Amino acid sequence: LHTNDAASSITRLVDIGIDSYLIAASLNAVLAQRLVRKICPKCKKKYKVPEKMQAYMKRAGIKGKNFYHGTGCEACRDSGYVGRVGIYEMLVIDDELRGMINKDSSVNNMRKVFQKSGSHSLFDDGLIKVNQGLTTIEEVLRVTEVYGINENEDFVENDK
């Protein structure tokens, strides 16, 4: 299924005509994934996050100290990125969710239950990858569309 997150998958199954009682009885978990670009190891360097991006980070509660980006080199064709790494979230269907699926499988309700469960969201897993120095905060925000960032905006200050 193509959905924005794991919680949306249940609603999508209902939308394509599967009875909610069948979903509740047979679904055990949903794994959502996105791919984010990895920082090029050849030109990776620490950088100070531009003020424009700091507002997004503050709203998201991001408190990392060292952030990295690729400056661009021959190995990455001046993009700053080489390869991709997955970010994931898993929605485990428990008794509370089974009951909710039978009554009201709206996306908002599913997301509330997911958030209450304490599971890592796509965004949370992306932040882990940022703190590991694998990708950039801009890339995670772009892919998860947490704050509706326009991908044409350039949040990384060009050092060239």
Side-chain angles (χ1 to χ4, degrees), residues 37 138-139 142-143 145 148-155:
R37 296 177 294 177
E138 295 86 355
E139 180 68 0
R142 182 186 69 82
V143 170
E145 300 175 358
I149 290 177
N150 178 346
E151 65 182 77
N152 294 325
E153 293 186 46
D154 184 16
F155 290 105

Side-chain angles (χ1 to χ4, degrees), residues 6 26-27 30 36 44 80 82 100 102 111 115 118 124 149 158:
S26 60
L27 193 63
V30 177
V36 293
K44 178 179 176 178
V82 171
M100 184 176 286
N102 281 319
R111 285 183 181 147
Q115 289 169 347
D124 296 332
I149 290 177
N158 195 346

Side-chain angles (χ1 to χ4, degrees), residues 18-76:
I18 300 174
D19 292 327
S20 52
Y21 73 91
L22 290 173
I23 297 167
S26 60
L27 193 63
N28 292 318
V30 177
L31 179 69
Q33 70 174 11
R34 289 276 184 269
L35 294 175
V36 293
R37 296 177 294 177
K38 287 173 48 177
I39 300 169
C40 175
K42 303 261 190 213
C43 62
K44 178 179 176 178
K45 74 173 209 171
K46 283 186 188 179
Y47 83 111
K48 184 178 187 300
V49 178
E51 287 192 33
K52 201 173 188 183
M53 179 53 75
Q54 288 177 14
Y56 289 102
M57 293 172 62
K58 186 176 181 181
R59 282 177 32 196
I62 302 166
K63 299 175 183 171
K65 292 183 180 180
N66 294 319
F67 294 98
Y68 299 90
H69 78 284
T71 58
C73 67
E74 194 173 300
C76 63

Side-chain angles (χ1 to χ4, degrees), residues 7-19:
S8 301
S9 298
I10 295 167
T11 305
R12 182 65 49 89
L13 290 169
V14 171
D15 289 347
I16 63 172
I18 300 174
D19 292 327

Side-chain angles (χ1 to χ4, degrees), residues 75 114 147:
F114 178 78
Y147 296 112

